[in-house]
């Protein structure tokens, strides 16, 4: 019998502890679509560094009913105190067929107002840097460890991360991205359970429940330290190429 992945086992534990949004009897299935290559295998090297031709993502991707039910449940969540100060839950955005998923720490003021992650100045920097590579936001998935804004953009508390993490794990389970990319110290430390700083973790892959998680700076940090922009964009180029979104440079 095929053994369960660490992520499946984690989700099973969540179900035992009462995560009611999980479909009974089975985990969510990856949405139908073309079979993906193994996450460990980058696409074959091509002569040209031009972006690969990928099928256009439909403007309004049809979401499976189970996923919509899961999202709607998260939008009502009151599991931690952040529900009292948020304007709205910031669930995540992008394609369910995305081969690459970006994960930040938490929504800021702009995201809390808009209900979409990475739409403020930092988000615009991320969007612009991706566009320079020929990658549109709609081709990736963007989410945060916390779905609600901490007041004053303070650092997420451990109990908030524990409460909210199951939602992120389920998003990963649904999307099945080839690669994850953690943005910034706080998100990467929370995901990897480490106190190691981002300057040591960035530019490398790490294990996250059996999946490959690449670490790079948070674009807000890059905005404050524009001398790091080239490094940040080189990181994005690497992870986008490894995910098959662009040709290998
Ligand atoms: S931060 Fe997460 S766990 Fe807390 S209320 Fe928001 S959605 Fe729920």
């Amino acid at each position: 019998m095929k053994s369960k992945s660490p992520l499946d086992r984690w989700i099973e534990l969540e179900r035992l502890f009462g995560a009611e949004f999980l479909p009974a009897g089975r985990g969510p299935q990856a949405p139908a679509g073309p079979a993906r290559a193994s996450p460990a295998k980058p696409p074959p090297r091509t002569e040209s560094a031009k972006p690969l031709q990928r099928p256009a993502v439909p403007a309004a991707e049809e979401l499976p009913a189970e996923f919509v039910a899961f999202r709607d449940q998260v939008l009502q969540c009151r599991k931690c105190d952040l529900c009292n100060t948020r304007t709205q839950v910031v669930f995540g955005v992008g394609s369910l067929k995305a081969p690459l998923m970006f994960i930040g720490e938490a929504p800021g003021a702009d995201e809390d107002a808009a209900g979409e992650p990475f739409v403020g100045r930092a988000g615009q920097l991320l969007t612009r840097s991706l566009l320079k590579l020929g990658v549109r936001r709609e081709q990736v998935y963007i989410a945060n460890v916390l779905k609600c804004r901490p007041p004053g953009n303070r650092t997420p508390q451990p109990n908030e991360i524990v409460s909210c993490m199951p939602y992120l794990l389920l998003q990963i389970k649904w999307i099945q991205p080839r690669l994850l990319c953690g943005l910034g110290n706080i998100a990467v430390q929370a995901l990897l359970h480490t106190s190691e700083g981002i300057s040591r973790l960035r530019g490398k892959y790490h294990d996250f429940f059996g999946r490959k998680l690449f670490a790079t700076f948070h674009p807000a940090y890059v905005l404050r330290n524009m001398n790091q922009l080239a490094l940040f964009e080189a990181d994005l180029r690497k992870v986008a190429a490894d995910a098959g979104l662009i040709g290998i440079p």
Side-chain angles (χ1 to χ4, degrees):
M1 200 183 8
K2 194 168 169 255
S3 64
K4 288 185 176 145
S5 74
L7 185 53
D8 283 326
R9 286 201 295 275
W10 207 97
I11 288 172
E12 221 162 65
L13 271 179
E14 282 299 317
R15 191 180 286 123
L16 280 175
F17 284 100
E20 294 137 6
F21 49 83
L22 289 162
R26 65 183 177 86
Q29 303 297 302
R36 293 207 181 127
S38 152
K41 258 195 187 168
R45 186 174 283 274
T46 57
E47 289 305 310
S48 154
K50 281 188 197 153
L52 296 175
Q53 285 295 314
R54 289 178 61 81
V57 178
E61 187 177 299
E62 205 169 310
L63 300 175
E66 269 187 321
F67 182 82
V68 173
F70 158 52
R71 185 192 62 189
D72 289 350
Q73 198 137 7
V74 179
L75 295 179
Q76 311 291 325
C77 178
R78 303 192 66 81
K79 273 167 72 182
C80 79
D81 287 346
L82 295 180
C83 69
N84 297 318
T85 49
R86 74 185 179 212
T87 303
Q88 58 192 314
V89 171
V90 181
F91 178 75
V93 71
S95 170
L96 286 194
K97 298 176 182 136
L100 176 58
M101 181 170 175
F102 289 99
I103 306 170
E105 72 185 73
D110 293 321
E111 291 75 19
D112 178 62
E116 184 174 329
F118 285 91
V119 291
R121 283 184 64 229
Q124 288 163 24
L125 176 71
L126 174 66
T127 305
R128 268 200 315 275
S129 297
L130 287 173
L131 272 177
K132 280 192 208 169
L133 300 172
V135 177
R136 289 173 287 114
R137 269 170 80 94
E138 302 79 34
Q139 290 177 274
V140 299
Y141 200 90
I142 307 176
N144 283 303
V145 173
L146 292 190
K147 310 300 185 212
C148 302
R149 181 192 182 207
N153 295 349
R154 66 154 169 75
T155 301
Q157 302 292 307
N159 67 309
E160 295 161 356
I161 293 172
V162 168
S163 297
C164 214
M165 188 64 85
Y167 299 145
L168 178 68
L169 295 177
L170 274 167
Q171 285 173 307
I172 295 169
K173 177 86 176 155
W174 269 104
I175 295 157
Q176 300 277 341
R178 277 189 197 176
L179 297 173
L180 306 170
C181 181
L183 296 169
N185 214 25
I186 293 176
V188 173
Q189 287 183 341
L191 292 166
L192 298 180
H193 292 277
T194 179
S195 55
E196 195 96 61
I198 191 68
S199 52
R200 294 179 76 93
L201 297 168
R202 69 142 286 280
K204 298 179 207 147
Y205 284 103
H206 308 270
D207 178 73
F208 179 71
F209 289 105
R211 289 187 172 274
K212 289 174 82 179
L213 182 138
F214 188 80
T216 189
F217 298 128
H218 194 287
Y221 168 81
V222 180
L223 272 180
R224 294 191 303 272
N225 301 273
M226 284 306 277
N227 58 331
Q228 302 285 18
L229 179 65
L231 212 48
F232 175 67
E233 292 191 337
D235 283 350
L236 293 187
R237 178 175 292 279
K238 173 170 175 49
V239 77
D242 290 348
L245 282 163
I246 59 171
I248 294 174

